[in-house]
Amino acid sequence: MSTYIVGVDGSDTAYKAAERAAELAEKTGDKLVVLSAHSKDNTEVVTIGSDTWILDDSDQAGRLAERISSRLREDHPNAIVTSGAIFGKPVDALINAAKDHDAQVIFVGNVGTRGLGRVLGSVATGVIHNAECDVYVVRTAD
């Protein structure tokens, strides 16, 4: 069984990349790991009236990745989909996660791979140029 990695940030384009990864994982029987990166280890306590919430960047990233994973599992019931939060800037975090999971493919959207985004940099461009595994670029933007 191979492992695929996809990063999500709550955007429609990231979901499109995750959707394509889930489609392929379901067809091939491979595992998909949906990850959301957080670059700060902040924990904040918020109190409003008698209610108190603890907001943690890692927890929020993990919840986002799990929401996306749940949706993918509903749409692709035969896919093996897990989720998690990863610390670091998205490019580095995805590349390191691919190494940690011994992943064969990282899925990214094509946002920022053309025009000014290509010159300034994007997550997709950074992963394409630095990943040690294959990178599948999903057409998520025109």
Side-chain angles (χ1 to χ4, degrees), residues 108-124:
V108 295
N110 72 328
V111 171
T113 59
R114 300 183 315 200
L116 187 58
R118 186 181 67 171
V119 174
L120 296 176
S122 71
V123 172

Side-chain angles (χ1 to χ4, degrees), residues 45-133:
V45 178
V46 177
T47 303
I48 300 175
S50 62
D51 294 326
T52 300
W53 293 275
I54 298 174
L55 304 175
D56 181 273
D57 287 347
S58 176
D59 288 344
Q60 291 180 29
R63 282 194 295 274
L64 170 65
E66 181 50 35
R67 275 195 311 273
I68 301 298
S69 294
S70 292
R71 187 171 162 194
L72 293 171
R73 284 190 293 269
E74 286 176 16
D75 293 342
H76 304 279
N78 295 319
I80 301 165
V81 182
T82 63
S83 66
I86 49 176
F87 179 77
K89 293 181 180 178
V91 171
D92 298 332
L94 288 172
I95 290 170
N96 290 333
K99 290 176 190 173
D100 292 345
H101 289 274
D102 195 27
Q104 286 66 46
V105 182
I106 300 172
F107 283 75
V108 295
N110 72 328
V111 171
T113 59
R114 300 183 315 200
L116 187 58
R118 186 181 67 171
V119 174
L120 296 176
S122 71
V123 172
T125 300
V127 170
I128 290 166
H129 289 289
N130 296 294
E132 294 178 10
C133 63

Side-chain angles (χ1 to χ4, degrees), residues 27-38:
K27 288 178 182 176
T28 61
D30 293 323
K31 177 181 173 183
L32 172 61
V33 181
V34 178
L35 299 170
S36 182
H38 61 100

Side-chain angles (χ1 to χ4, degrees), residues 4-6 8 12-28 30 32 34 68 72 75-76 79 81 105-110 136-141:
Y4 304 155
I5 298 286
V6 66
V8 295
D12 288 340
T13 57
Y15 184 78
K16 288 177 185 177
E19 175 73 20
R20 178 63 52 83
E23 288 171 5
L24 290 176
E26 185 173 39
K27 288 178 182 176
T28 61
D30 293 323
L32 172 61
V34 178
I68 301 298
L72 293 171
D75 293 342
H76 304 279
V81 182
V105 182
I106 300 172
F107 283 75
V108 295
N110 72 328
Y136 187 116
V137 181
V138 179
R139 180 171 294 282
T140 58

